[in-house]
């Protein structure tokens, strides 16, 4: 029998969920996506803080579990890497699959769903900090260029996984560019004249997004613009 572990599904522990939400600087009415949501541990906690949450989950039973729980605005039963990109969220908070660099590919895609001023906050494999392959090096460079952070978690923060983990926090200042690394074309990069990661131009939470909807009223509320984390 194939188990959740065989499928690479590891629920996010509650203390780690709370840490992710704190780093995401959530406010009531913030539009949040949890991709590869599992049973929705992150999304449910975000909704409890007043966020408006959508979930994407490949496994039908887990997607139905989220839908039946009633806290999500939309639940999409699909592979996140194949879902049409919609740049509509102020936060993407995620615990993606780790195997075969999937965490990097999922986070790269997640950046395309976030509006300027938003954040992607993700649990990722601990070796992200030290691997020397091109995909990983390019990803670390992008986090740095965006004014983001990669922070080691203590041993035991994710006990079911049994490996070191980190949290990546990545601000989105402008439209996310296409990846510099193209699977199947080792060493490929975008042209120097192509889209670039945004500069670190916002240093405070001085203005708010205007498109978030309150889960009960549909009225405009907002979610604070992300800080430039490189200055802290």
């Amino acid at each position: 029998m194939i188990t959740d572990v065989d499928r690479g599904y590891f629920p996010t522990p509650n203390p780690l969920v709370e840490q992710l939400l704190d780093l995401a600087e959530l406010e009531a009415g913030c539009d949040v996506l949890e991709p590869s949501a599992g049973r929705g541990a992150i999304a449910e906690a975000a909704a409890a803080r007043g966020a408006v949450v959508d979930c994407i989950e490949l496994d039908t039973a887990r997607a139905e579990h989220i839908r039946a729980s009633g806290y999500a605005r939309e639940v999409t039963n699909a592979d996140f890497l194949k879902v049409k990109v919609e740049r509509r969220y102020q936060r993407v908070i995620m615990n993606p699959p780790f195997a075969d660099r999937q965490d990097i590919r999922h986070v790269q895609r997640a950046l395309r769903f976030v509006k300027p001023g938003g954040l992607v906050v993700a649990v990722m494999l601990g070796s992200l900090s030290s691997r020397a392959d091109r995909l990983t090096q390019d990803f670390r460079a992008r986090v740095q260029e965006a004014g983001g952070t990669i922070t080691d978690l203590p041993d035991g923060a994710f006990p079911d996984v049994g490996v070191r983990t980190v949290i990546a926090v990545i601000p989105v200042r402008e439209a996310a560019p296409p990846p510099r690394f193209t699977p199947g074309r080792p060493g490929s990069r975008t042209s120097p004249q192509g889209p670039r990661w945004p500069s670190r131009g916002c240093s405070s939470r001085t203005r708010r997004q205007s498109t978030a909807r309150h889960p009960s009223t549909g009225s405009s509320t907002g979610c604070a613009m992300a800080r430039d984390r490189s200055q802290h």
Side-chain angles (χ1 to χ4, degrees):
M1 182 173 114
I2 299 176
T3 66
D4 283 342
V5 173
D6 294 330
R7 296 186 179 98
Y9 170 60
F10 298 92
T12 313
N14 288 336
L16 183 53
V17 169
E18 295 303 317
Q19 186 175 355
L20 292 169
L21 298 186
D22 289 344
L23 289 169
E25 303 172 2
L26 283 186
E27 296 182 1
C30 192
D31 271 320
V32 176
L33 173 67
E34 183 184 5
S36 301
R39 294 189 180 93
I42 296 171
E44 184 171 12
R49 294 194 184 193
V52 183
V53 299
D54 293 340
C55 297
I56 300 172
E57 170 54 39
L58 176 60
D59 182 84
T60 301
R62 290 195 287 264
E64 285 301 324
H65 173 84
I66 296 171
R67 192 174 287 115
S69 297
Y71 55 80
R73 174 179 57 187
E74 296 177 7
V75 181
T76 303
N77 182 196
D79 182 347
F80 174 57
L81 296 180
K82 297 179 181 178
V83 171
K84 179 183 177 182
V85 172
E86 293 186 88
R87 200 159 185 249
R88 55 185 287 204
Y89 298 100
Q90 294 158 305
R91 301 290 187 267
V92 175
I93 311 173
M94 60 194 300
N95 169 21
F98 290 169
D100 300 323
R101 311 293 195 265
Q102 287 188 78
D103 53 346
I104 292 179
R105 294 184 174 92
H106 279 243
V107 173
Q108 285 176 328
R109 187 168 182 82
L111 288 163
R112 299 172 62 193
F113 284 75
V114 179
K115 298 176 182 180
L119 286 173
V120 172
V121 182
V123 183
M124 303 184 75
L125 194 61
S127 58
L128 176 71
S129 302
S130 57
R131 292 195 306 262
D133 60 277
R134 176 61 59 79
L135 179 65
T136 304
Q137 288 181 330
D138 280 354
F139 182 80
R140 287 198 302 263
R142 287 175 174 175
V143 174
Q144 183 177 18
E145 289 167 14
T149 59
I150 298 173
T151 305
D152 291 335
L153 288 169
D155 293 341
F158 213 139
D160 290 340
V161 177
V163 296
R164 287 192 313 110
T165 50
V166 299
I167 294 178
V169 181
I170 312 171
V172 176
R173 306 301 179 196
E174 299 170 0
R180 299 180 187 177
F181 177 88
T182 302
R185 295 178 58 195
S188 63
R189 302 171 75 93
T190 56
S191 164
Q193 287 74 39
R196 297 190 51 155
W197 277 69
S199 60
R200 306 171 192 175
C202 180
S203 59
S204 65
R205 297 168 65 181
T206 57
R207 65 185 178 87
R208 297 172 185 272
Q209 302 285 355
S210 62
T211 55
R213 293 181 295 277
H214 190 278
S216 59
T217 66
S219 60
S220 174
T221 54
C223 190
M225 188 173 186
R227 295 187 185 95
D228 182 348
R229 312 187 75 86
S230 66
Q231 303 301 317
H232 298 274

